[in-house]
Amino acid sequence: MNKRRWRKIHRWAGLFLLGFLVLYSLTGLLLNHRKSFGYFQTRQKTVTEVEVQPQDVLNDVLDTYKQEIGRDDNPTVIRLKKGGVIEFLYGSHGRTTYIIDSMKGSMTRIDKHDQQPWYRLNSLHKSYKVGNSWIWLTDCIAILMIILALSGLLIFRFTRLDLLLLALGGAVMLGGMILA
């Protein structure tokens, strides 16, 4: 293929992917600093008085199942499901989960293990697992990608096909955002 054809392919692919590139870069910047934005949540606290209940019953149930499991420590999360199913999650994101079906009398243990190298690569997008130097490097790259993508709009003279590809890529990106 000659250079002229490669330039056209590069141009058309770039115009089609422009929206994705800008969106990906902006969301990457926001994810790098999600803690600074309060994890993109607002919190409203409402306190209501309720009747005081004895904690003995709940402690007895908890102690009974902790004995069954064979652990002395309290779970990080306790989930109550329909049909008398109780889930005890231990560790970060339920690294070890016990699913107790009190109606059937069964207990299932699920242990999660990291799949390397995929888990390590995925953690590069988690700002609490990487150093500040990595975060600032990725921020700079994201900003440069936005500048590169948008500056191309100023450099090129557009044909109808270019505008069609730009509009089509934008429509696909918006459709993806709506579906997400």
Side-chain angles (χ1 to χ4, degrees):
M1 259 192 221
N2 61 20
K3 276 188 173 183
R4 192 176 268 274
R5 188 170 289 160
W6 277 114
R7 283 184 181 176
K8 284 183 180 182
I9 291 171
H10 176 77
R11 179 181 184 158
W12 293 337
L15 288 170
F16 183 75
L17 294 175
L18 175 70
F20 292 103
L21 183 65
V22 171
L23 179 70
Y24 189 75
S25 298
L26 288 174
T27 55
L29 284 168
L30 291 172
L31 284 174
N32 273 350
H33 303 282
R34 61 185 169 264
K35 187 175 182 180
S36 303
F37 295 103
Y39 298 98
F40 307 106
Q41 296 175 336
T42 57
R43 297 167 195 249
Q44 181 179 350
K45 186 176 182 178
T46 305
V47 178
T48 308
E49 287 190 28
V50 295
E51 185 179 331
V52 177
Q53 299 291 324
Q55 208 170 358
D56 298 344
V57 175
L58 182 59
N59 284 339
D60 288 345
V61 170
L62 188 60
D63 289 340
T64 300
Y65 286 120
K66 282 184 356 185
Q67 275 184 331
E68 286 285 330
I69 291 169
R71 293 182 74 144
D72 294 331
D73 56 332
N74 288 325
T76 308
V77 176
I78 300 172
R79 291 184 184 150
L80 303 175
K81 303 276 186 152
K82 290 181 181 178
V85 175
I86 303 169
E87 290 182 356
F88 284 10
L89 281 70
Y90 286 90
S92 176
H93 300 287
R95 190 161 289 273
T96 302
T97 301
Y98 296 90
I99 303 169
I100 302 163
D101 191 334
S102 60
M103 300 301 192
K104 292 182 182 175
S106 68
M107 178 173 65
T108 304
R109 177 183 171 153
I110 299 171
D111 292 302
K112 295 180 186 174
H113 302 283
D114 304 332
Q115 291 182 332
Q116 298 297 348
W118 313 118
Y119 182 80
R120 180 68 186 132
L121 289 172
N122 186 47
S123 69
L124 291 175
H125 290 277
K126 297 176 181 172
S127 59
Y128 56 89
K129 290 189 176 186
V130 295
N132 284 334
S133 57
W134 176 258
I135 292 170
W136 289 110
L137 175 65
T138 57
D139 285 349
C140 290
I141 291 170
I143 290 167
L144 287 173
M145 286 170 51
I146 292 169
I147 292 169
L148 178 67
L150 295 178
S151 66
L153 290 175
L154 301 173
I155 294 170
F156 290 125
R157 283 180 273 147
F158 295 107
T159 65
R160 287 181 196 215
L161 178 61
D162 294 337
L163 294 173
L164 178 66
L165 285 170
L166 190 58
L168 226 119
V172 171
M173 180 195 65
L174 286 174
M177 288 172 55
I178 291 168
L179 291 175

